[in-house]
Amino acid sequence: MEQKKIFLAESEMPRQWYNIAADLPTPMEPPLHPGTGQPVGPEDLAPIFPMPLIEQEVSQERFIDIPEEVLKRYLIWRPTPLYRAYNLEKHLDTPAKIYFKNEGVSPAGSHKPNTAMAQAFYNKISGTKKITTETGAGQWGSALSFCCSLFGMECKVYMVRISYDQKPYRRVMMETWGGTCTPSPSNETEAGRKILAENPDSPGSLGIAISEAVEAAVSEENTKYALGSVLNHVMLHQTINGLECQKQLAVVGDYPDVIIGCAGGGSNMAGNSFPFIRDKIHGKEIDIIAVEPASCPTMTRGPFAYDFGDTVQMTPLLPMYTLGHGFVPAPIHAGGLRYHGMAPLVSQLILDNLIRPEAIHQLETFEAGLIFARTEGFISAPEANHAVAMAIREAIKAKEEGKEKVILFNWSGHGLVDMAAYEAYMSGQLSDYDLPEEEMHRAVQEIAPLPRPKQYKPGTIS
Amino acid sequence: MEQKKIFLAESEMPRQWYNIAADLPTPMEPPLHPGTGQPVGPEDLAPIFPMPLIEQEVSQERFIDIPEEVLKRYLIWRPTPLYRAYNLEKHLDTPAKIYFKNEGVSPAGSHKPNTAMAQAFYNKISGTKKITTETGAGQWGSALSFCCSLFGMECKVYMVRISYDQKPYRRVMMETWGGTCTPSPSNETEAGRKILAENPDSPGSLGIAISEAVEAAVSEENTKYALGSVLNHVMLHQTINGLECQKQLAVVGDYPDVIIGCAGGGSNMAGNSFPFIRDKIHGKEIDIIAVEPASCPTMTRGPFAYDFGDTVQMTPLLPMYTLGHGFVPAPIHAGGLRYHGMAPLVSQLILDNLIRPEAIHQLETFEAGLIFARTEGFISAPEANHAVAMAIREAIKAKEEGKEKVILFNWSGHGLVDMAAYEAYMSGQLSDYDLPEEEMHRAVQEIAPLPRPKQYKPGTIS
């Protein structure tokens, strides 16, 4: 019988993370202090992150040991299986081999615990008692609550108001793991009160929630802040995914021609692709595709510029593709892809033509999700359906070209807590949305006065 | 590092199911025709089941080959991992080793696809175009929809009205896999119309939904009915679980002293324990515990008698522990355990002292669920929490006795689609419920006029 899943034994799980900063063809430009405009130093970050994570954020070491206390807890769901999508291949009648990495087997149902567990650990050993964070759709907040519970730490999550109301199950997941969850904007922080004063019915945004979580971390004792994507150390922790994939594909003697991941802040696609991008830097031909929603076209239409990570401009300025820190994306169901910026590492790799960004419309992603569920069985998170849809496009292209390509995509999580999105799709309530040019211009205006990176690249609006 | 999960390679997945009917110390009494009171023959079952399943229902063969088309699709989630619950052991400070079999990794999130896939296959090769079924909480309906979609068959699910309203995500799961889901009682069947005429606001019950699904199967062409528990062939298909466990425990050189499963219709505990009960029949000392809710005490307080599987008395009379076919259990959150009867095979093994039934109150199960989530990470289905709670009891007992027991429990599924139950628990809205003696007497009255099995055993109300 054909092998469906490639497992690694626990003893084969990678013992190190891969740090792509050591291999970048073009060095990254530094984050800048929001007040001074000068490069931030460790002392600027110390109020919100524990020192081991700050060290990882700036590390140039190629491989970094995963602490044993993290490895032990990774074993709850790792190594994750790599699947061969035979049924999908057959359905598409494609000569391509399609593999997907199933990150949905974690207790939280997504890839997020890969970094949440590491961040919880480094905070624990640094004396942190409580971690604050923000969450959009709730994947990150629930993952961090899960990981904090295993280290006996408090977890406080500011959840974007509209998601808090629409996705009560996510809040209950956080509470089941002992976390607390507050809708954002809230009255608990100055940032929240300011927004509420202007608009008491604010639906919130990821940017606002970040502001609240950072403020809460700074103002409470023994409290730090954690971010679920965007930053270098988050990308680092996610690379265990791609390192596993490399071992797994070696078992069956395959190597990917195309690698696909959906990208909101960038961490799941980074985690899966970075170890392969190392090979690409060394000459391997691989097409690495980052997929974003057409309604939030950060990578495909935004400029590469310095911008804030949050709405109220508390975070350092990061060199990245951005739609402007005040950008409010359309309410598409892939909540994890509704972010105005993109990880600086992913952004840099796009600039260097090592990652190719693509945008996909919402309806195509759900159509792909139904095909996937009815062939491979698993119901994807709306975010993951962006990767599924692109894999289907590439498989069809392979058929048209008559090429036996190997396609690998990262299946970042299941959608069993997102069934309302499927209902909306199947009942015809969803539509596609292209960000109008004027709206994009307006959003990008607000970053114009900020410092510009040397590699500044204006938005690519046609 | 300690091994957390024991995986089997795909090549080590069992190729046969185990049929405990071949090893029963006391032969089972036959099902009786609801009209004539005579033992049912294959011809009586042919209108609702395909012949290969009818043959399995009465087979005395000890091992039955799993067809390759089923094996191939089992590989989507099988072999499932066996976990060692180190963190839970540490939390309880117990000398016991606790193992749990994680059946939550299937696309539907539970053990149900083990039989759904087999039933879909046998129907497919018998020319069935459409399968009807009932579902309570929705686990079974979604599992069957998933499996039918992989065989390109229609699936029609009658879902208990109250669950249909309370658990829309389950319905959407079925629809995502291409199934259709109708609240029961419905106007589509005579059985449904009869109930609605008496009570237009009927919340429905599993018994009513079974009646509707059977009626629909009988009255439409190329349509058969599928049952997710209770029957012999369902128990058979589930045994792949226990057969895997035996191989997995052999890897680490352990053998269980205690095996625990929750029991509604009986199939998940049967699937996990039957291969071990074979050893018990041959002299091994194992305590096999079937856990039910105290509010639906079929095994611990009901009589062993002949009773109908459904409310409107269409199914054959089965020799089983029962609370009477008209019994309406309290609305506890473990929907899968709200059934008036118990699988005849499980019932027979209880009579023969090979399975020990226990009842647990709702609050204890949710308390156990929180402990489990915060130590082992996974959020259990409310049904599975009955097994978790009993495992905790046994681990504490082992500590009190100072015994190094090996405890194995079946973790039948995750609870990510059941978060409303956790919310109700954590906000203090749940309470315990003991079935009053009078109510039980009343429920059991209706089975008094039915034929009695030779081994008739009155209810054990104290």
Side-chain angles (χ1 to χ4, degrees):
Chain A
M1 240 174 0
E2 286 164 330
Q3 187 172 4
K4 177 76 186 162
K5 304 180 295 299
I6 305 148
F7 268 106
L8 293 178
E10 293 188 344
S11 58
E12 295 169 296
M13 187 171 75
R15 261 51 182 169
Q16 297 185 307
W17 294 299
Y18 166 60
N19 180 15
I20 203 166
D23 287 314
L24 286 182
T26 315
M28 298 224 291
E29 295 183 62
L32 304 180
H33 191 282
T36 66
Q38 295 302 306
V40 297
E43 66 287 357
D44 296 315
L45 298 173
I48 56 171
F49 295 120
M51 202 44 74
L53 290 176
I54 295 173
E55 284 163 13
Q56 290 183 350
E57 189 63 20
V58 298
S59 170
Q60 292 293 315
E61 240 180 295
R62 184 166 288 113
F63 287 97
I64 295 179
D65 287 344
I66 307 175
E68 187 165 332
E69 290 299 314
V70 176
L71 286 171
K72 265 168 64 178
R73 288 167 179 83
Y74 272 176
L75 292 182
I76 291 174
W77 72 99
R78 304 208 72 87
T80 64
L82 179 70
Y83 275 72
R84 175 80 185 272
Y86 290 112
N87 297 335
L88 179 60
E89 291 170 18
K90 204 172 147 191
H91 175 82
L92 299 172
D93 188 27
T94 177
K97 293 183 185 176
I98 306 175
Y99 290 94
F100 64 95
K101 180 73 164 166
N102 182 350
E103 291 286 301
V105 294
S106 79
S110 80
H111 66 291
K112 292 287 188 189
N114 295 333
T115 184
M117 201 61 88
Q119 293 192 50
F121 167 76
Y122 288 117
N123 271 287
K124 182 76 180 181
I125 60 167
S126 304
T128 307
K129 303 279 183 230
K130 177 175 172 179
I131 303 183
T132 67
T133 197
E134 74 292 332
T135 200
Q139 290 273 16
W140 169 244
S142 51
L144 190 65
S145 297
F146 152 51
C147 296
C148 282
S149 81
L150 294 194
F151 282 104
M153 272 191 293
E154 272 187 75
C155 181
K156 163 82 178 202
V157 182
Y158 292 87
M159 185 169 185
V160 175
R161 173 96 234 176
I162 188 169
S163 295
Y164 182 92
D165 292 338
Q166 285 174 353
K167 306 192 175 201
Y169 278 20
R170 281 285 172 195
R171 169 180 54 76
V172 183
M173 283 172 72
M174 298 175 215
E175 292 168 353
T176 299
W177 280 309
T180 54
C181 179
T182 305
S184 165
S186 78
N187 269 314
E188 297 177 6
T189 66
E190 216 163 298
R193 285 188 293 270
K194 196 177 144 201
I195 302 279
L196 287 175
E198 287 165 18
N199 178 10
D201 299 322
S202 166
S205 75
L206 217 41
I208 298 170
I210 294 176
S211 303
E212 290 208 274
V214 169
E215 183 187 326
V218 172
S219 45
E220 281 183 58
E221 243 181 286
N222 297 321
T223 302
K224 298 286 179 195
Y225 165 75
L227 192 64
S229 193
V230 179
L231 298 181
N232 303 343
H233 66 271
V234 179
M235 308 293 128
L236 173 76
H237 302 151
Q238 291 291 350
T239 58
I240 188 164
N241 173 338
L243 294 165
E244 282 181 7
C245 275
Q246 290 187 319
K247 288 188 171 194
Q248 288 166 313
L249 285 169
V251 171
V252 287
D254 271 327
Y255 193 92
D257 300 297
V258 183
I259 297 179
I260 298 162
C262 63
S267 76
N268 95 77
M269 84 78 53
N272 182 254
S273 67
F274 278 11
F276 292 96
I277 294 181
R278 184 179 179 218
D279 295 348
K280 187 171 180 175
I281 291 169
H282 289 94
K284 267 274 186 199
E285 269 191 40
I286 328 172
D287 189 15
I288 313 263
I289 308 175
V291 190
E292 67 185 5
S295 59
C296 188
T298 313
M299 301 178 289
T300 50
R301 293 175 62 197
F304 178 85
Y306 268 118
D307 195 7
F308 297 100
D310 68 330
T311 305
V312 304
Q313 313 178 19
M314 289 177 69
T315 72
L317 291 164
L318 300 171
M320 61 182 178
Y321 283 89
T322 175
L323 294 170
H325 52 269
F327 179 71
V328 180
I332 57 163
H333 278 275
L337 307 184
R338 296 174 72 243
Y339 182 62
H340 69 273
M342 179 51 59
L345 276 169
V346 172
S347 296
Q348 184 64 48
L349 292 162
I350 294 172
L351 273 182
D352 286 345
N353 294 315
L354 289 162
I355 292 176
R356 177 165 71 89
E358 288 277 2
I360 290 198
H361 284 111
Q362 179 164 248
L363 294 181
E364 182 179 342
T365 66
F366 278 101
E367 191 193 341
L370 285 199
I371 292 171
F372 190 70
R374 293 173 189 184
T375 52
E376 293 299 320
F378 291 100
I379 296 179
S380 325
E383 292 82 3
N385 277 337
H386 286 70
V388 176
M390 184 53 68
I392 290 177
R393 277 197 196 177
E394 288 292 318
I396 292 171
K397 200 169 87 183
K399 184 185 175 184
E400 288 164 359
E401 297 171 349
K403 279 191 189 159
E404 278 190 33
K405 277 185 191 169
V406 175
I407 299 169
L408 165 65
F409 72 90
N410 194 43
W411 197 72
S412 56
H414 68 65
L416 298 184
V417 196
D418 304 290
M419 295 313 299
Y422 281 84
E423 172 154 48
Y425 171 66
M426 290 189 289
S427 60
Q429 290 166 43
L430 298 190
S431 57
D432 284 339
Y433 179 78
D434 280 295
L435 189 62
E437 239 177 83
E438 315 80 65
E439 200 181 319
M440 230 206 86
H441 272 300
R442 207 165 36 238
V444 170
Q445 281 308 313
E446 67 189 0
I447 58 177
L450 299 174
R452 285 191 176 177
K454 289 189 205 112
Q455 292 179 284
Y456 174 73
K457 200 174 159 184
T460 56
I461 308 172
S462 54
Chain B
M1 241 172 359
E2 287 165 330
Q3 186 172 5
K4 177 75 186 163
K5 303 181 295 300
I6 305 147
F7 267 106
L8 294 179
E10 294 189 343
S11 58
E12 295 171 294
M13 188 172 72
R15 261 52 181 168
Q16 297 185 307
W17 294 299
Y18 166 60
N19 180 14
I20 202 166
D23 288 314
L24 286 182
T26 316
M28 298 224 292
E29 295 183 61
L32 304 181
H33 191 283
T36 66
Q38 295 302 306
V40 297
E43 66 287 357
D44 296 315
L45 299 172
I48 55 171
F49 296 120
M51 202 44 75
L53 290 176
I54 295 172
E55 283 164 13
Q56 290 183 351
E57 188 63 22
V58 298
S59 170
Q60 292 293 315
E61 241 181 293
R62 184 166 288 114
F63 287 97
I64 295 179
D65 287 345
I66 306 175
E68 188 165 331
E69 289 299 314
V70 175
L71 287 171
K72 265 169 63 178
R73 288 168 179 84
Y74 272 177
L75 292 182
I76 292 174
W77 73 99
R78 305 209 71 88
T80 64
L82 179 70
Y83 276 72
R84 175 79 185 271
Y86 290 112
N87 296 335
L88 179 60
E89 290 170 17
K90 205 172 146 191
H91 175 83
L92 298 173
D93 188 25
T94 177
K97 293 183 185 177
I98 306 176
Y99 290 94
F100 64 95
K101 179 74 164 166
N102 183 348
E103 290 287 300
V105 294
S106 79
S110 79
H111 66 292
K112 292 286 188 188
N114 295 332
T115 184
M117 201 60 88
Q119 293 193 51
F121 167 76
Y122 288 116
N123 271 286
K124 181 75 179 180
I125 60 166
S126 304
T128 307
K129 303 280 184 228
K130 178 176 172 180
I131 303 183
T132 67
T133 198
E134 75 291 332
T135 200
Q139 290 272 16
W140 168 243
S142 51
L144 190 65
S145 297
F146 152 50
C147 296
C148 281
S149 81
L150 294 194
F151 282 104
M153 273 190 291
E154 271 187 78
C155 181
K156 163 82 177 203
V157 182
Y158 292 87
M159 186 170 184
V160 175
R161 174 96 233 177
I162 188 170
S163 294
Y164 182 93
D165 292 337
Q166 285 175 351
K167 306 193 174 198
Y169 278 21
R170 282 283 172 197
R171 168 179 54 77
V172 184
M173 284 173 71
M174 297 176 216
E175 291 168 353
T176 299
W177 280 308
T180 53
C181 179
T182 304
S184 165
S186 78
N187 269 314
E188 297 178 7
T189 66
E190 215 163 298
R193 286 189 292 270
K194 196 177 144 201
I195 302 280
L196 286 175
E198 286 164 17
N199 177 11
D201 299 324
S202 165
S205 74
L206 217 42
I208 297 170
I210 294 175
S211 303
E212 290 208 274
V214 169
E215 183 186 326
V218 172
S219 45
E220 281 183 60
E221 244 181 286
N222 297 321
T223 302
K224 298 286 179 193
Y225 164 76
L227 193 64
S229 192
V230 179
L231 297 181
N232 302 343
H233 66 271
V234 179
M235 308 293 128
L236 173 76
H237 302 150
Q238 291 291 351
T239 58
I240 188 164
N241 173 338
L243 294 166
E244 282 181 7
C245 275
Q246 289 186 319
K247 287 188 170 193
Q248 288 166 312
L249 285 169
V251 171
V252 287
D254 272 327
Y255 193 91
D257 298 297
V258 183
I259 296 180
I260 298 163
C262 64
S267 76
N268 96 77
M269 84 78 53
N272 181 253
S273 66
F274 278 10
F276 292 96
I277 294 181
R278 184 179 180 218
D279 294 348
K280 188 171 180 176
I281 290 168
H282 289 94
K284 267 274 185 196
E285 269 191 39
I286 327 172
D287 189 14
I288 313 261
I289 309 174
V291 190
E292 68 186 4
S295 58
C296 188
T298 312
M299 300 178 290
T300 50
R301 293 175 63 196
F304 177 86
Y306 267 118
D307 195 7
F308 296 100
D310 69 330
T311 306
V312 303
Q313 313 177 17
M314 289 177 69
T315 72
L317 291 165
L318 300 171
M320 61 183 178
Y321 283 90
T322 176
L323 294 170
H325 52 267
F327 180 69
V328 180
I332 58 162
H333 278 275
L337 307 184
R338 296 174 71 242
Y339 182 62
H340 69 274
M342 179 50 59
L345 276 170
V346 172
S347 296
Q348 183 65 48
L349 291 162
I350 294 172
L351 273 182
D352 285 345
N353 294 315
L354 289 162
I355 293 177
R356 177 165 72 90
E358 287 276 2
I360 291 198
H361 285 110
Q362 179 164 248
L363 294 180
E364 182 179 342
T365 67
F366 278 102
E367 191 193 341
L370 284 200
I371 292 171
F372 190 71
R374 293 175 188 182
T375 53
E376 293 300 320
F378 291 99
I379 296 178
S380 326
E383 293 82 2
N385 277 337
H386 287 70
V388 176
M390 184 54 68
I392 290 177
R393 277 196 196 177
E394 289 292 319
I396 292 172
K397 199 169 88 183
K399 184 184 175 185
E400 289 164 358
E401 296 171 349
K403 279 192 191 161
E404 277 189 33
K405 277 185 192 169
V406 174
I407 299 169
L408 164 65
F409 73 90
N410 194 43
W411 197 72
S412 56
H414 67 65
L416 298 184
V417 197
D418 304 291
M419 295 313 298
Y422 281 85
E423 172 154 48
Y425 171 67
M426 289 189 291
S427 60
Q429 289 164 42
L430 298 191
S431 57
D432 285 339
Y433 178 78
D434 281 294
L435 188 61
E437 238 176 86
E438 314 81 65
E439 201 181 319
M440 231 206 84
H441 272 300
R442 207 164 37 240
V444 170
Q445 281 308 313
E446 66 191 357
I447 57 176
L450 299 174
R452 286 193 175 176
K454 287 189 207 113
Q455 293 179 285
Y456 174 75
K457 201 174 157 182
T460 56
I461 309 171
S462 54

